[in-house]
Amino acid sequence: MIDTAITSPEARPGGPQPIAGRATRREYAALAVLLIGTAAAYLWRLTASGWANSFYAAAVQSGARSWKAFFFGSSDWANAITVDKTPASFWPMELSARLLGFSSFSMLLPQVLLGVASVALLWVIVRRYFGASAGLLAGLVLALTPVAALMFRYNNPDAFLVFLMIAAVWAMLRAVEDGRWRWLLLCGVLVGFGFLAKQLQVMLVLPALAATYLFAGPPKLGKRIVQLVAAGAAMVAGAGWWVLVAQLWPADDRPYFGGSQHNSIIELTLGYNGLDRLSNNRSFGDNPEMKGKFNPFGGQAGLQRLFNETVGGQIAWLIPASLVLLAGAILLCGRAPRTDRKRAALLLFGGWGVVTALVFSLMSGTFHEYYTVALAPALAGVVGIGSVVLWRERDRGWVRGALALSMALTALTAWVLLSRTTDFVPWLRWVIVGVAVVAVLGLLVRTGRTLTIVTLSAALFAGLAAPAAYAVETLRLPHTGGIVRGGPHPDPVFPNFGNAGGADEPEAEAPAAKEPARGFPFTTAPTDKVLALLESNGNAYTWVAATIGSSDAATYQLAADFPVMAVGGFSGGDPAPTLEKFQQDVAESRIHYYIATEERHGPPQRQVSEGSKITGWVKDHYTATTVDGVIMYDLTVPRVTG
């Protein structure tokens, strides 16, 4: 559908700025097709991934059982320790589990709904300023981005985070229109709530939000600055209410904040989930030999990262084209007034995308491929806006050249990325190049109606066929664990960090196939014999078992449906519980079994962890029993000595 309602000179970037009125039936029908198609695709084989990321699934299970676990984001509903994130992203999943019963479907359904809502809200934003065609294209690009197809049906925190970032953009652009305080305050609250979803990652959109209003907001400059300060206060309030309550809650009456070394949510925010993500100086513990040498996630930092073999297929398909389209659309704004709404939208989406891409490219700390879902809406917005804005001005020669260049770059990118997976639809890259040639030729010349339709069809196919193929493969394949990626690539095998060395040392081998792969991020479901022991008289104990690391604990908890204590939290290195606290819980018969695990939860540490102390104490005072390869200690039966 070509939106001709905004092709008049008055609707061009430099002219008067009409705001789209009520959508027509045809526009609503097209939107309905997009949203229904997105929902159907994302719901397809939704439960194939089972518990998906069991680390977070256990938190959802706990929040569905205990309101305290709900509020804090506890790994278990006996509230020993939290996951290493703030809890808001789990709340929709936990409410769904309370309403529908805890299952894979009830847990993942809210993620799908957030994906559909994100596509719809992006359509609302783009259509308001650039028409229905641009809105539909932006929504379609977002829905077909492989990493979005992955994370909008997975139980990581990213789905809720992305929706809140889009909502903050919507509120800010409304503020640019009329300068009303309510929109700025709402924007601040949404960013603050995004912090509660995934802490500092929401800040990726903040520079673009502030810069856009500071540049394009209504006069006067002094008022704009004051309003932005107020929006900042609203942001602090949007996140601070939870931080304040959580931090002031008596420590002995709440779970330990997982991921921190001193039971502090502030430390978790600024350290483990903050600066440590940007720099690898602390990402792998306190071992000085590890600093600056080893980054197993997402490849080495640098401007090429978003195009490398593991990240490229997630997000990179339209990045080169988006840069051309963004530059061209901004140039078309010409000498438009400072408050030009169209340019403001371009600056906001473009700024969001550029900042996010640079941070992800250059950060040397922990970076996972799926983080790039935070870039997907910005990229989709720029592509939807830029394509339509330039198309409407194609009577200019340089605009036709820019459109042709963006098409050629897209085809080249598709060729490079698809060439890395030659066993996956090997014919597709050839077809894309052939169709792209037709599109480029059609874009370079002024054509009649028939050739225009051919050109548009060819451009849409050449631009979206490759990411769509990756998205379909993402929907088809199950994904589990903490490190996942879309497309035909298998989920990565995690190295044994116990043997991790410097950059010149060989990568560690995965666990031998003949042994159960246990320890982060691999866990095997407990056998019937192990499960029977855990379930035996399970209601008599606060925790039916304790084990080092949240991934192992989560697997046992999800299977047994009783709380399992995650000693040391996610990596096993958190000082919780202390040996003294663990001994007290054992003395009070609150823990039934201790399950010994291999120490594969992180690199060598210079200090003995509380988990190691606990394991040593258990071995000294209790008798080990091996059940189907699992070493278990019954903590209610001390070893007889003397």
Side-chain angles (χ1 to χ4, degrees):
M1 179 178 65
I2 304 298
D3 185 358
T4 58
I6 314 183
T7 56
S8 63
E10 291 77 18
R12 291 176 178 175
Q17 300 295 300
I19 298 297
R22 184 182 298 275
T24 65
R25 290 183 179 180
R26 187 180 182 185
E27 291 174 357
Y28 276 132
L31 174 63
V33 171
L34 173 62
L35 297 184
I36 292 172
T38 302
Y42 286 3
L43 287 170
W44 179 53
R45 290 175 52 83
L46 181 61
T47 60
S49 296
W51 296 123
N53 188 339
S54 61
F55 174 59
Y56 293 131
V60 174
Q61 179 191 34
S62 299
R65 296 292 189 89
S66 161
W67 286 112
K68 180 182 286 188
F70 178 96
F71 181 80
F72 286 105
S74 301
S75 291
D76 63 278
W77 58 97
N79 293 293
I81 194 168
T82 71
V83 296
D84 56 3
K85 299 290 186 297
T86 38
S89 64
F90 309 123
W91 291 345
M93 292 184 279
E94 290 164 350
L95 292 174
S96 175
R98 284 178 176 269
L99 180 64
L100 303 176
F102 178 61
S103 66
S104 175
F105 180 80
S106 67
M107 176 180 67
L108 298 178
L109 176 62
Q111 307 295 83
V112 172
L113 297 179
L114 285 168
V116 175
S118 295
V119 171
L121 187 53
L122 187 61
W123 177 88
V124 168
I125 297 170
V126 175
R127 177 199 169 273
R128 183 174 180 86
Y129 305 102
F130 299 94
S133 297
L136 281 174
L137 182 56
L140 182 62
V141 170
L142 176 59
L144 293 180
T145 302
V147 71
L150 173 66
M151 299 315 295
F152 282 133
R153 39 190 275 128
Y154 209 70
N155 60 342
N156 279 22
D158 302 77
F160 198 33
L161 169 71
V162 168
F163 173 76
L164 290 170
M165 294 170 90
I166 298 173
V169 168
W170 168 77
M172 179 54 75
L173 288 176
R174 295 300 302 270
V176 169
E177 288 182 23
D178 56 26
R180 293 186 179 181
W181 290 80
R182 64 184 183 185
W183 298 120
L184 287 154
L185 297 179
L186 176 59
C187 179
V189 169
L190 289 168
V191 174
F193 214 73
F195 171 89
L196 295 183
K198 206 178 178 186
Q199 294 190 291
L200 293 183
Q201 190 168 336
V202 74
M203 299 303 175
L204 292 171
V205 74
L206 191 61
L209 291 171
T212 299
Y213 192 75
L214 192 63
F215 174 78
K220 302 174 182 176
L221 177 60
K223 182 179 180 180
R224 297 200 301 275
I225 293 174
V226 172
Q227 287 179 315
L228 285 175
V229 171
M235 177 184 70
V236 172
W241 68 271
W242 183 89
V243 174
L244 184 63
V245 172
Q247 197 67 35
L248 293 180
W249 200 295
D252 57 359
D253 189 44
R254 61 161 171 80
Y256 184 95
F257 290 128
S260 71
Q261 291 297 302
H262 301 92
N263 201 9
S264 167
I265 194 66
I266 305 299
E267 178 191 352
L268 175 65
T269 300
L270 299 179
Y272 180 82
N273 283 330
L275 297 178
D276 290 359
R277 301 278 168 169
L278 297 177
S279 170
N280 67 357
N281 283 342
R282 295 177 55 195
S283 293
F284 299 98
D286 294 327
N287 188 341
E289 297 180 359
M290 298 292 293
K291 294 181 179 181
K293 294 183 178 181
F294 187 62
N295 187 353
F297 309 118
Q300 294 301 311
L303 294 178
Q304 79 288 349
R305 171 183 273 171
L306 294 183
F307 297 89
N308 72 23
E309 291 191 0
T310 63
V311 182
Q314 313 304 301
I315 193 66
W317 307 94
L318 296 171
I319 288 179
S322 70
L323 295 175
V324 175
L325 295 171
L326 177 63
I330 290 178
L331 282 175
L332 285 173
C333 291
R335 298 182 178 180
R338 178 185 59 80
T339 56
D340 179 82
R341 295 162 180 171
K342 289 180 168 33
R343 184 170 56 199
L346 282 165
L347 292 175
L348 183 41
F349 278 108
W352 176 8
V354 169
V355 169
T356 302
L358 288 176
V359 170
F360 285 163
S361 296
L362 301 178
M363 60 188 289
S364 59
T366 301
F367 170 79
H368 296 304
E369 292 90 345
Y370 65 80
Y371 288 178
T372 56
V373 71
L375 176 59
L379 184 63
V382 168
V383 170
I385 294 168
S387 298
V388 173
V389 167
L390 266 65
W391 175 259
R392 291 170 182 161
E393 298 289 335
R394 66 189 182 279
D395 56 331
R396 307 185 188 189
W398 74 266
V399 172
R400 294 197 300 274
L403 286 170
L405 176 61
S406 67
M407 188 74 264
L409 289 174
T410 299
L412 177 61
T413 304
W415 175 273
V416 171
L417 297 181
L418 288 173
S419 296
R420 295 170 177 170
T421 54
T422 54
D423 56 339
F424 174 71
V425 289
W427 50 267
L428 183 58
R429 68 183 191 273
W430 296 97
V431 174
I432 288 175
V433 169
V435 174
V437 170
V438 175
V440 168
L441 293 176
L443 291 168
L444 285 174
V445 298
R446 300 184 65 175
T447 59
R449 178 178 177 82
T450 300
L451 290 180
T452 295
I453 294 175
V454 171
T455 299
L456 283 175
S457 300
L460 282 172
F461 178 86
L464 298 180
Y470 262 55
V472 170
E473 189 70 358
T474 300
L475 301 176
R476 187 184 70 84
L477 296 175
H479 298 275
T480 57
I483 308 172
V484 291
R485 55 178 180 242
H489 302 282
D491 291 337
V493 173
F494 199 87
N496 180 348
F497 278 120
N499 297 323
D504 297 329
E505 296 184 26
E507 186 176 274
E509 296 283 337
K514 64 182 180 180
E515 299 178 359
R518 304 189 63 254
F520 173 74
F522 302 113
T523 56
T524 54
T527 64
D528 291 341
K529 289 183 180 179
V530 173
L531 194 58
L533 290 175
L534 296 178
E535 293 174 342
S536 177
N537 202 24
N539 288 319
Y541 303 93
T542 305
W543 297 276
V544 295
T547 189
I548 293 180
S550 295
S551 293
D552 285 306
T555 299
Y556 290 114
Q557 178 175 293
L558 290 166
D561 201 27
F562 287 106
V564 175
M565 178 187 290
V567 176
F570 174 69
S571 66
D574 296 346
T578 62
L579 174 60
E580 291 74 20
K581 179 63 169 63
F582 186 85
Q583 291 171 332
Q584 179 183 347
D585 288 333
V586 171
E588 295 174 357
S589 298
R590 303 184 70 193
I591 309 173
H592 194 179
Y593 290 100
Y594 185 78
I595 302 174
T597 61
E598 297 180 34
E599 294 189 4
R600 293 175 180 162
H601 301 280
Q605 301 293 317
R606 302 182 70 184
Q607 298 179 347
V608 178
S609 67
E610 290 297 317
S612 297
K613 294 177 184 178
I614 289 170
T615 299
W617 177 78
V618 169
K619 289 180 177 179
D620 290 341
H621 294 84
Y622 296 88
T623 302
T625 301
T626 301
V627 182
D628 290 340
V630 178
I631 302 174
M632 305 180 68
Y633 296 84
D634 188 340
L635 300 182
T636 66
V637 184
R639 180 187 301 167
V640 177
T641 59

